[in-house]
Amino acid sequence: MSQTIIPRAAVRGTASGVIFMAFFGTLWAGIGIRGLHGWGFLWLLILSLLIGVVLLVGGIVLIMKSKRLSNEMMGEDSHRWKRKNLWFGIIFGLEGVLIATAAVICQSTNHLDLFVPIMALIVGAHFFPLAYLFQVNLYYISGSLLCLLSAITLFTLPVRVTWGNHQIMVWWTSVGFSSALILWGTGVVVWITGHRLLNRAGNSGSKEA
């Protein structure tokens, strides 16, 4: 296997995945923290930010290390990557539109509690076309877990509970923290995949030398 089989774009694609998982995983953790209404705010916030930053740095390191790889691709490969990036933009944009629509509907019907589980369902569903587009089977698992999490939350858990004088938004807390763990876990696996690509490229380069 030659180094050109693993172009810079392939590694940077995994790096982008890591960065996305770091950012959105941390946002989901923020939703979980908000659902606790102040309980453990500082420590949970620090922990969430720390995990997000570690993953973010991991993605950036992948991008920096990918600079040693060839940026040359055959015409067909270049066209394929451009097409994938186009479809990624379409899928991501559609996800945003659906989330915004869900927010408006939940707000206007006075069912804002439903928004977080529904958002998890939308995010989970968007992983399926991404899995097919980028041929990453892990995304099927991540999407399925998010959709399952949404369904379990909606049909089995109470919306909120009161513990003493403190009220906890169960739907927000359970979906927020669980979604964060799913996305962070996905990010770690994608990060490992990126490093494997770098190692394969390095090994093939050494053999050619």
Side-chain angles (χ1 to χ4, degrees):
M1 181 177 293
S2 64
Q3 185 175 345
T4 55
I5 295 179
I6 305 176
R8 187 184 304 172
V11 177
R12 291 196 171 185
T14 62
S16 297
V18 174
I19 292 172
F20 268 84
M21 300 304 166
F23 179 74
F24 288 104
T26 304
L27 285 183
W28 275 109
I31 292 174
I33 293 172
R34 184 179 177 185
L36 290 174
H37 282 174
W39 276 22
F41 174 79
L42 180 60
W43 295 110
L44 288 172
L45 179 63
I46 292 173
L47 179 61
S48 299
L49 290 175
L50 180 61
I51 295 173
V53 168
V54 169
L55 276 176
L56 176 64
V57 171
I60 294 173
V61 170
L62 278 178
I63 292 176
M64 294 175 63
K65 288 185 176 182
S66 71
K67 291 180 179 179
R68 64 182 173 85
L69 299 181
S70 171
N71 198 34
E72 297 180 3
M73 291 186 289
M74 301 294 290
E76 183 179 348
D77 290 335
S78 178
H79 177 71
R80 185 171 67 249
W81 276 100
K82 288 180 180 179
R83 187 174 58 199
K84 284 184 177 182
N85 289 333
L86 173 63
W87 275 107
F88 171 76
I90 293 173
I91 294 168
F92 189 75
L94 181 59
E95 177 196 24
V97 170
L98 290 175
I99 289 175
T101 302
V104 171
I105 293 175
C106 290
Q107 178 70 38
S108 61
T109 58
N110 199 28
H111 288 90
L112 194 57
D113 289 327
L114 284 169
F115 174 63
V116 171
I118 290 176
M119 181 166 61
L121 182 63
I122 295 171
V123 173
H126 107 288
F127 271 102
F128 295 110
L130 289 183
Y132 176 79
L133 180 65
F134 294 108
Q135 295 298 297
V136 179
N137 291 332
L138 172 65
Y139 289 167
Y140 286 117
I141 299 174
S142 302
S144 298
L145 288 175
L146 285 168
C147 291
L148 183 62
L149 169 65
S150 175
I152 291 175
T153 300
L154 286 170
F155 293 109
T156 66
L157 298 180
V159 177
R160 57 180 61 84
V161 296
T162 301
W163 192 351
N165 296 323
H166 195 87
Q167 188 178 77
I168 297 175
M169 300 172 66
V170 177
W171 282 8
W172 286 43
T173 299
S174 60
V175 173
F177 287 128
S178 298
S179 297
L181 291 175
I182 291 170
L183 294 185
W184 284 335
T186 302
V188 170
V189 176
V190 173
W191 177 79
I192 293 172
T193 300
H195 270 278
R196 286 177 178 172
L197 289 174
L198 285 173
N199 290 335
R200 284 168 55 189
N203 291 337
S204 62
S206 300
K207 292 178 180 178
E208 290 176 358

